[in-house]
Amino acid sequence: MNEINHQGGKLLVVDDDPSLLRLISLRLQSAGYEVHAVASAKEALAELESYPAQLVISDVRMDGMDGLALFNAIKQLYPSLPVMLLTAHGNIPDAIAATQQGVFGYLTKPFDSQELLAKVADALQLQPNVTEGESQQPQASWRSEIISRSPIMDVLIKQIQQVAPSDVNIMIQGESGSGKELLAKAIHQASQRQQGPFVAVNCAAIPEGLFESELFGHAKGAFSGAANAHPGLFQAANGGTLFLDEIADTPLSVQVKLLRALQEREVRPVGSTKNIPVDVRIVSATHQDLYQAVQQQEFREDLYYRLNVVELGLPPLAKRREDIPLLVHHFSQQIADRQGSALKTYSPEAMSSLVSARWPGNVRQLMNVVEQTNALSTGPLIPAQLVQQALREKAELVSFSQARDEFERGYLARLLRLTQGNVSQAARLAMRNRTEFYKLLERHHLRPESFRA
């Protein structure tokens, strides 16, 4: 599975043993986590009323309400909040049974510090970073529909903030299903045209014979069946933004007229003798290599440069895996709100399957999987089996060399993250000498300083 970076996290630790409580807290704080520590399950539930924990770590055996009862209470109040249990060897069967009910995992006492940190990192990776009752950090309204926490999307959002107000034409490059129209809407909302209309058209869905009429409109009687005048999409978007999705599928016969409309800022409806002024901003999108289409004379070069004043690259879902738990929670919450039902959550194994899937259909495919698994699940916890059934992924074999490289890169990144970029410590954990370890890092272009706090 691709490695995912996390910067800190909010943890709630529960244990009625003061020494162990302090030991765990110090170890987690030294690793960069924010830790709140309490001595009982009842205190933990009270703390969660005001503290937006991303993970609860609790001892199983405690006076009064024990760790299993605490987990059941958290599951009812905060179904997306993961819980990890600390248990003595004699209580392992109880902990295993709890994992079948949705507990993220357990550690046996005395626990290994590195194992603790690894489990915590995994738990934060596989949950949406949102707990019920917690208000998310306020976002600008223009980007409220862009559900993301990944660094690669942060860069894209900053680019949108910079170019949206300038009114230049923008080209979005991205795979099918990655959310290009959503991004175009965000650009519109962040622009000076936000009060104007946003009109979207899929160029691949318009028959060639109707293309000109759809874009520029037609006069009454312009052709057989034109019983009334039709204004066209340019006029419909006047004062706002016209989104041309799959622009590469625009016929060459229409491209020259589209170029003229952009240059002259006016359109002439089919069958009319009058030009009509229009004021639109064009945001276009494609999943194809449009520059290559220009080279092959399948797309006009002058139109390409008119549309592609600024190019934004929308990464595929497989390149922004940090966003998957957040998107899953978002889609599940939408389903629950729409149906007036309780929010369903995913078992750790199910979420792990979602995060590690290949996602050739991108966010659109993820939404489909979430809807299917929510519909087929008979309980509040969605199991891994339903996810794997929904994914319908065939085993795809890669070369031995590629498989080894993917494993090595992920393994090395995990070690560096656990040791916060300490190469000597990481080399010891890998049982390799320091020189050999450095060579492995260089081969995979991993820089230890990038993992240091």
Side-chain angles (χ1 to χ4, degrees), residues 52-294:
Q54 296 167 249
L55 170 66
V56 175
I57 303 172
S58 174
D59 191 15
V60 172
R61 293 301 179 194
M62 296 184 293
D63 290 338
M65 179 185 285
D66 64 13
L68 296 175
L70 174 61
F71 159 68
N72 287 326
I74 291 174
K75 184 179 176 182
Q76 292 295 321
L77 297 169
Y78 313 98
S80 294
L81 180 59
V83 177
M84 185 189 307
L85 297 177
L86 301 175
T87 181
H89 282 282
N91 299 322
I92 288 178
D94 289 341
I96 293 175
T99 61
Q100 297 172 346
Q101 299 299 316
V103 166
F104 174 79
Y106 66 91
L107 284 174
T108 56
K109 297 185 289 186
F111 59 87
D112 176 77
S113 293
Q114 293 302 326
E115 186 181 3
L116 170 66
L117 294 180
K119 287 270 192 181
V120 169
D122 286 344
L124 294 181
Q125 170 182 304
L126 298 178
Q127 60 98 25
N129 204 15
V130 176
T131 57
E132 284 70 20
E134 173 195 353
S135 60
Q136 298 182 7
Q137 291 296 320
Q139 294 180 347
S141 59
W142 66 267
R143 62 145 301 181
S144 60
E145 293 299 313
I146 301 178
I147 309 300
S148 170
R149 68 180 179 190
S150 60
I152 193 171
M153 286 297 290
D154 286 344
V155 172
L156 179 59
I157 288 165
K158 287 183 175 65
Q159 290 176 331
I160 293 174
Q161 284 180 301
Q162 183 176 352
V163 302
S166 66
D167 216 34
V168 297
N169 292 336
I170 293 174
M171 174 77 70
I172 301 173
Q173 180 77 40
E175 294 181 4
S176 296
S178 56
K180 296 188 289 294
E181 183 171 343
L182 201 65
L183 204 67
K185 288 180 180 178
I187 293 169
H188 173 72
Q189 290 297 327
S191 74
Q192 304 299 319
R193 297 173 174 269
Q194 58 181 276
Q195 299 302 321
F198 175 86
V199 178
V201 55
N202 187 334
C203 297
I206 304 176
E208 184 173 353
L210 297 178
F211 224 109
E212 190 176 350
S213 172
E214 283 295 304
L215 287 181
F216 311 128
H218 62 252
K220 181 179 178 180
F223 50 82
S224 177
N228 299 295
H230 172 64
L233 296 173
F234 265 85
Q235 293 182 63
N238 192 43
T241 302
L242 178 60
F243 174 54
L244 301 176
D245 196 10
E246 302 302 348
I247 187 66
D249 292 309
T250 306
L252 281 167
S253 60
V254 178
Q255 289 180 25
V256 64
K257 297 175 182 177
L258 178 58
L259 176 64
R260 180 174 179 82
L262 296 180
Q263 289 175 333
E264 304 297 331
R265 291 183 173 271
E266 59 184 22
V267 297
R268 178 181 293 181
V270 176
S272 174
T273 59
K274 294 182 180 180
N275 292 339
I276 299 174
V278 289
D279 173 27
V280 298
R281 192 229 194 121
I282 302 294
V283 177
S284 51
T286 180
H287 72 278
Q288 301 181 40
D289 186 338
L290 203 56
Y291 185 74
Q292 183 179 7
V294 170

Side-chain angles (χ1 to χ4, degrees), residues 327-347:
L327 287 164
V328 169
H329 178 86
H330 175 71
F331 295 145
S332 296
Q333 188 66 64
Q334 285 185 327
I335 292 169
D337 292 344
R338 187 168 63 242
Q339 297 178 348
S341 58
L343 176 69
K344 293 184 179 182
T345 58
Y346 289 76
S347 72

Side-chain angles (χ1 to χ4, degrees), residues 345-422:
T345 58
Y346 289 76
S347 72
E349 295 80 8
M351 186 62 76
S352 180
S353 294
L354 290 168
V355 171
S356 61
R358 299 182 70 87
W359 297 118
N362 292 292
V363 179
R364 187 182 295 130
Q365 182 189 5
L366 176 63
M367 183 188 299
N368 178 276
V369 168
V370 171
E371 288 180 345
Q372 181 177 332
T373 51
N374 268 265
L376 294 177
S377 176
T378 56
L381 188 71
I382 298 173
Q385 181 182 2
L386 275 183
V387 168
Q388 291 156 4
Q389 176 185 323
L391 287 170
R392 299 191 188 91
E393 290 190 322
K394 297 179 181 178
E396 297 184 27
L397 293 177
V398 298
S399 69
F400 175 79
S401 176
Q402 182 181 344
R404 182 183 62 190
D405 284 347
E406 290 179 358
F407 170 78
E408 281 188 359
R409 184 173 60 252
Y411 176 74
L412 293 170
R414 185 183 182 88
L415 286 175
L416 289 174
R417 186 157 33 257
L418 288 175
T419 60
Q420 297 185 11
N422 187 316

